[in-house]
Amino acid sequence: MLKAPSIFIFSLILSLFPSLAYSQDTSSITGILTGTIINASTQAPINGATIVVNGTKIGSRSNSQGKFTLRSIPVGIISIKATAIGFEPRTLSDIAISSGKPATITILLSEKAVQLEATEVEASYFQRSPETITSTQLLNSEDIRRAPGVQEDVIRAVALLPGVNVTSAGRNDLIVRGGAPFENLFVVDNIEVPNINHFGSQGSTGGPLSLINIDFVREVSFSAGGFSSRFGDRVSSLTNISLREGNEERFGGEINFSATGFGVIAEGPISDKGSYFVSARRSYLDILFKALGFSFIPDYWDFQTKISYRLDDKNSLSFLTIGALDKITFNNDDEEDRYSNSRINSPTQDQYFSGLTWKHLITGSDMNGYALVTLGRTYSAFNTAQRDSNLMTLFNNTSVEGENSLRTDLFLQLSPGTEIIVGNIIKYASLLDYDLFLDSRFRRNQSGTPIGLDVDSSFTAFRNATHATLVLTSDAWKATFGARLDYYDFLQETTYLSPRLTISYALNQVSTLNLSAGRYYQSPSFIWLMGDPSNQQQLKAIRADQIVLGYELQLAADLKFQVEGYYKWYGNYAARLFRPQAVLAPSGFDDVQNDIPFGLEPLISSSTGYARGIEAFIQKKMGEIPLYGLMSLTINESRFSGLDGIDRPGAFDARIIFNIAAGYRFNENWEISTKFRYSTGAPTTPFVEDPNEPLYGQLNFQQYNAGERLPAFHSMDLRIDRRWNFEGFLLITYIDIQNIYNRKNANNYRFDQRLGQGVVNFAGAGVIPSLGINVEF
């Protein structure tokens, strides 16, 4: 018998979507595809490249600027093949052609390696990252948009990849190969961004929802380790997000509605030299949460603008700014609401990041390449507070973090098999201001003595990194040799050198062995320096030495298999003087009644640890068979030792992680997809349950990570999309159902003051159906 939620969902589907047997006649409706085709190594436009819509006779050639336009394409989801003399052919799938605004793409072609014998090379659906050989996957906007349960969130989509876990169902804090969320680097259009989330965790990288509008994403490159020396100041992963340009064909727009908010988009040409896009989104979670009687009420806006302009054939400018306004209010009308809200550390904040990028193409008889210069700014204003059930302040954080950056990168191709990449990034944090208060009851030293925190301080910080990489390519081999030198003026030990090496060997046309080894450093988060006057002298940059060995097999043009093993050795990890059994690993909305938040305590860089594991990954792109999907399995372990020298499981040690996501496109109008996720539970630390103890109600670090593990996490999501093409506009409707079989997953382990004991806190949302409507014109 169907349970009530299942009956509701089934009825909802029937009411929203007509029978699958109904087929809309779209044979006479067509759309437009515009794009640019460029050399992946030099960024130079490729003149005379051929672009053909697979399965049709529709095609075109690129002009001297690499531009092309394909018209009268039947609406639907298409794939194209791009070829050019001297370049590897490439197939791009999942391109949405609509009767609304023109689709816009950028195609990167890689130069052919010298072949010892003539062979017919099939156009692959997969593109390799030009700089990173191991542990790297590429996702396009369609991969992210259609994934069920990810809420069109870039970071949640990345969590499906091998080696990646999340802290809880309601957040996107990435746990990459056992590392804490603060170890991950996010780059958006050449700007390094501390946190790209609404209600983001200060000093870390996670949050409930990304503020990047998926409609503007061209490609996401995710590296779980082994990334090049051009990037650093993080020791676990790199998520590099490239935003597309606005369409240069004509004005276009979009209006979208979902269960959580609405948004508007506008884009179009700037004369014949460039383009623009702008968007604004507002949640109506505040209205929804109030109507449902919730006591915790979030509200957010976000805004995005990108302008691209070609000065001449060799020089172009682009300007990007993305901002967000996040606010949390509480309904404290009754005692139950006040008690529930007393466990929440609410992160109200305003933030933005922006950048101006100049790209200059270098052409000559002896070398080719390009220079990339980005002037950037990141800014976040935090107002985080937590109050008890009597509305007395337990914690307050009013702080501002603003930083300016200047990044310069030079990419030179000295010969077909030799490239060098050199560059420098300067960062000056001109505005670091903190007004902090933490009740002494919740900041006790090892012996239980209360030591409160009351800080009103500001400082500045200067960081610099210089990098160089040599890339050598032959018939079967590719190797990169790199080094990075980081300088931090706010640390006692200021200078750190990071050598890196990657090697790839093609066993044959379809299989490759990959190896990477390197050292990575990361400076402490700025807010950690506020925990104690000695932290600036005691803290060093965290070190991680990594080695990755992998094998990749391309089973078909649209199907690949990959297996990798890795080992990471940590050093200089932040140890906690008040908690000598633990290392610092904050994430999420830290409840100050459980533990000291944000690293606001005495710290010293003397802990060590390791993470090791093996990962298997298989991915099918949309090809001739209208089936796509991916599957990943990770078996791993992470362990750290604190000041007491005892080796313990890491705070995010989930031994097994399994993901599978798949979809099927029935025709140009209907699509269904599903996702299943499983991971073993993380370690827990028991609470002090003796009311006579000074640390009553707080974590018992004498048994740090020695408690019973949280229950295993597993959940299944389902999504159905329906596209309606009309003359001049496109209507997309969808239903996205999260946790379809109503699994009660554990969020965390917390102390229940009424029961006087620790309890597992389960997610209470149950089955979550979400409806969406997008109109493109």
Side-chain angles (χ1 to χ4, degrees):
M1 179 178 293
L2 289 173
K3 295 182 179 180
S6 301
I7 295 173
F8 168 72
I9 292 166
F10 185 68
S11 302
L12 197 58
I13 294 173
L14 291 180
S15 66
L16 281 173
F17 301 100
S19 168
L20 286 173
Y22 170 76
S23 178
Q24 181 189 13
D25 182 12
T26 59
S27 58
S28 62
I29 304 176
T30 62
I32 299 172
L33 172 65
T34 68
T36 308
I37 187 163
I38 60 179
N39 185 317
S41 296
T42 68
Q43 298 289 293
I46 300 175
N47 187 13
T50 300
I51 305 94
V52 176
V53 179
N54 289 328
T56 75
K57 296 182 179 180
I58 300 171
S60 180
R61 288 185 179 273
S62 59
N63 63 19
S64 60
Q65 296 179 338
K67 301 286 184 180
F68 66 90
T69 300
L70 298 175
R71 302 182 187 277
S72 301
I73 305 172
V75 295
I77 308 299
I78 67 165
S79 66
I80 64 170
K81 181 178 179 180
T83 57
I85 296 174
F87 292 86
E88 300 284 353
R90 187 180 173 202
T91 296
L92 277 76
S93 61
D94 294 323
I95 302 171
I97 302 298
S98 77
S99 52
K101 63 184 180 181
T104 302
I105 63 172
T106 300
I107 306 173
L108 280 70
L109 294 187
S110 300
E111 295 183 29
K112 283 184 179 179
V114 177
Q115 299 290 329
L116 298 180
E117 57 184 47
T119 56
E120 182 70 24
V121 179
E122 186 176 7
S124 175
Y125 285 68
F126 300 96
Q127 181 188 10
R128 282 182 170 271
S129 170
E131 297 179 56
T132 304
I133 292 175
T134 60
S135 310
T136 301
Q137 310 298 335
L138 301 178
L139 300 174
N140 61 33
S141 59
E142 276 295 295
D143 292 327
I144 299 166
R145 181 199 61 78
R146 69 189 178 201
V150 306
Q151 301 172 26
E152 300 187 355
D153 184 335
V154 171
I155 309 177
R156 290 176 188 267
V158 164
L160 297 173
L161 299 176
V164 185
N165 201 6
V166 293
T167 56
S168 65
R171 293 182 57 85
N172 62 19
D173 307 76
L174 297 185
I175 310 303
V176 181
R177 292 179 171 174
F182 67 77
E183 299 177 18
N184 304 314
L185 175 63
F186 291 88
V187 179
V188 181
D189 269 13
N190 217 36
I191 307 167
E192 296 184 2
V193 184
N195 196 313
I196 63 170
N197 286 290
H198 289 287
F199 307 104
S201 299
Q202 188 172 3
S204 191
T205 61
L209 183 69
S210 167
L211 55 85
I212 304 293
N213 190 329
I214 187 60
D215 288 293
F216 294 150
V217 172
R218 176 175 67 83
E219 185 177 75
V220 178
S221 171
F222 174 77
S223 176
F227 48 89
S228 75
S229 61
R230 192 160 75 96
F231 299 105
D233 207 16
R234 290 296 187 273
V235 295
S236 273
S237 75
L238 164 67
T239 303
N240 195 349
I241 302 171
S242 300
L243 304 182
R244 69 174 179 86
E245 298 179 354
N247 84 76
E248 298 188 26
E249 182 72 14
R250 63 169 177 81
F251 172 80
E254 184 175 338
I255 302 173
N256 49 64
F257 301 88
S258 71
T260 58
F262 68 90
V264 294
I265 296 171
E267 61 178 296
I270 300 177
S271 66
D272 60 349
K273 293 286 190 176
S275 64
Y276 69 89
F277 69 61
V278 295
S279 80
R281 298 187 299 181
R282 188 205 191 279
S283 76
Y284 38 72
L285 286 174
D286 52 334
I287 301 171
L288 180 64
F289 277 37
K290 287 178 182 177
L292 294 174
F294 290 175
S295 61
F296 174 79
I297 304 168
D299 175 29
Y300 67 81
W301 286 82
D302 63 49
F303 310 91
Q304 306 185 46
T305 299
K306 183 174 180 178
I307 299 171
S308 304
Y309 193 81
R310 292 184 300 279
L311 300 174
D312 54 43
D313 289 344
K314 292 186 178 181
N315 296 280
S316 61
L317 292 175
S318 67
F319 173 76
L320 170 70
T321 186
I322 297 179
L325 304 174
D326 303 331
K327 183 180 180 181
I328 287 180
T329 56
F330 292 106
N331 178 3
N332 289 312
D333 290 345
D334 56 44
E335 182 181 351
E336 186 62 33
D337 287 340
R338 290 192 293 271
Y339 173 74
S340 177
N341 292 335
S342 70
R343 309 304 307 215
I344 299 172
N345 193 355
S346 64
T348 292
Q349 64 191 61
D350 299 334
Q351 62 177 312
Y352 72 84
F353 60 90
S354 61
L356 178 65
T357 298
W358 168 54
K359 183 164 76 171
H360 172 68
L361 300 182
I362 300 170
T363 57
S365 58
D366 53 348
M367 70 174 64
N368 295 283
Y370 65 102
L372 209 58
V373 180
T374 300
L375 179 65
R377 168 76 173 172
T378 62
Y379 173 90
S380 296
F382 301 90
N383 188 358
T384 307
Q386 186 169 345
R387 293 172 174 82
D388 65 15
S389 56
N390 295 317
L391 303 184
M392 299 298 292
T393 299
L394 306 180
F395 174 69
N396 189 75
N397 169 14
T398 303
S399 57
V400 176
E401 296 179 349
E403 188 171 53
N404 305 307
S405 63
L406 177 63
R407 182 181 194 110
T408 305
D409 295 300
L410 180 63
F411 304 78
L412 291 176
Q413 186 181 59
L414 305 180
S415 69
T418 306
E419 300 173 37
I420 59 171
I421 304 169
V422 294
N424 191 81
I425 180 169
I426 298 171
K427 292 184 177 181
Y428 178 63
S430 58
L431 184 60
L432 298 171
D433 187 79
Y434 301 89
D435 186 355
L436 306 165
F437 169 79
L438 177 57
D439 191 306
S440 62
R441 292 173 294 169
F442 308 107
R443 189 176 184 269
R444 297 174 182 264
N445 64 15
Q446 183 182 359
S447 61
T449 304
I451 304 175
L453 181 72
D454 195 348
V455 171
D456 186 356
S457 181
S458 62
F459 67 102
T460 60
F462 176 80
R463 295 185 276 185
N464 187 82
T466 303
H467 66 85
T469 301
L470 172 65
V471 183
L472 301 176
T473 306
S474 69
D475 179 36
W477 292 89
K478 180 175 181 179
T480 68
F481 306 88
R484 179 183 175 97
L485 186 66
D486 284 284
Y487 174 82
Y488 310 111
D489 82 331
F490 51 93
L491 300 180
Q492 193 76 9
E493 186 176 322
T494 59
T495 308
Y496 300 84
L497 178 64
S498 307
R500 299 177 194 174
L501 165 70
T502 62
I503 298 174
S504 178
Y505 177 68
L507 301 173
N508 49 50
Q509 288 290 332
V510 296
S511 59
T512 308
L513 281 176
N514 301 310
L515 171 71
S516 70
R519 172 163 288 188
Y520 298 80
Y521 283 104
Q522 177 176 345
S523 59
S525 299
F526 290 133
I527 194 170
W528 299 1
L529 304 180
M530 295 292 98
D532 191 83
S534 66
N535 284 359
Q536 196 161 348
Q537 287 73 43
Q538 300 277 27
L539 287 174
K540 302 177 182 178
I542 298 169
R543 184 185 72 246
D545 295 323
Q546 305 184 27
I547 185 167
V548 182
L549 178 63
Y551 171 76
E552 185 174 321
L553 175 64
Q554 186 146 347
L555 300 166
D558 59 355
L559 180 64
K560 75 170 183 179
F561 170 76
Q562 177 181 303
V563 62
E564 287 189 339
Y566 68 89
Y567 208 113
K568 288 196 294 187
W569 296 266
Y570 285 98
N572 294 347
Y573 219 83
R576 308 174 63 183
L577 273 69
F578 285 178
R579 311 285 188 262
Q581 303 85 359
V583 300
L584 185 65
S587 73
F589 298 164
D590 297 312
D591 180 357
V592 304
Q593 298 180 68
N594 283 352
D595 196 13
I596 302 170
F598 301 111
L600 295 174
E601 57 189 298
L603 303 170
I604 184 171
S605 294
S606 62
S607 286
T608 59
Y610 68 85
R612 58 189 178 187
I614 186 168
E615 304 161 353
F617 179 62
I618 188 166
Q619 184 177 16
K620 166 74 168 64
K621 289 279 193 178
M622 177 73 74
E624 293 183 6
I625 301 174
L627 174 71
Y628 58 86
L630 59 83
M631 181 170 62
S632 66
L633 173 66
T634 302
I635 302 172
N636 64 169
E637 177 188 30
S638 63
R639 299 185 71 87
F640 290 85
S641 59
L643 290 175
D644 65 357
I646 298 176
D647 191 47
R648 296 179 176 87
F652 308 105
D653 178 51
R655 299 297 173 86
I656 299 174
I657 307 166
F658 175 74
N659 295 301
I660 184 168
Y664 187 81
R665 184 167 289 129
F666 297 94
N667 50 45
E668 68 272 14
N669 299 323
W670 285 98
E671 182 176 347
I672 186 170
S673 57
T674 186
K675 178 192 74 177
F676 176 77
R677 183 175 184 85
Y678 172 89
S679 66
T680 53
T684 66
T685 301
F687 286 91
V688 177
E689 297 181 357
D690 184 349
N692 297 315
E693 291 290 330
L695 293 175
Y696 171 68
Q698 297 182 42
L699 294 171
N700 182 0
F701 280 88
Q702 297 296 330
Q703 302 180 54
Y704 178 64
N705 281 352
E708 184 177 353
R709 285 179 176 259
L710 291 173
F713 173 94
H714 56 88
S715 178
M716 178 175 281
D717 306 324
L718 176 71
R719 176 167 171 144
I720 301 174
D721 287 74
R722 175 63 161 100
R723 303 170 67 88
W724 313 75
N725 278 281
F726 302 95
E727 288 291 346
F729 74 97
L730 167 69
L731 172 65
I732 303 174
T733 57
Y734 68 85
I735 180 169
D736 191 330
I737 308 166
Q738 300 178 52
N739 194 22
I740 195 167
Y741 56 81
N742 199 21
R743 164 72 175 177
K744 299 295 184 183
N745 282 304
N747 274 341
N748 50 37
Y749 188 60
R750 63 170 50 189
F751 189 76
D752 189 309
Q753 294 173 325
R754 294 170 174 175
L755 297 176
Q757 63 184 32
V759 297
V760 176
N761 178 39
F762 289 94
V767 181
I768 308 175
S770 175
L771 310 177
I773 299 174
N774 292 344
V775 181
E776 295 183 9
F777 53 87

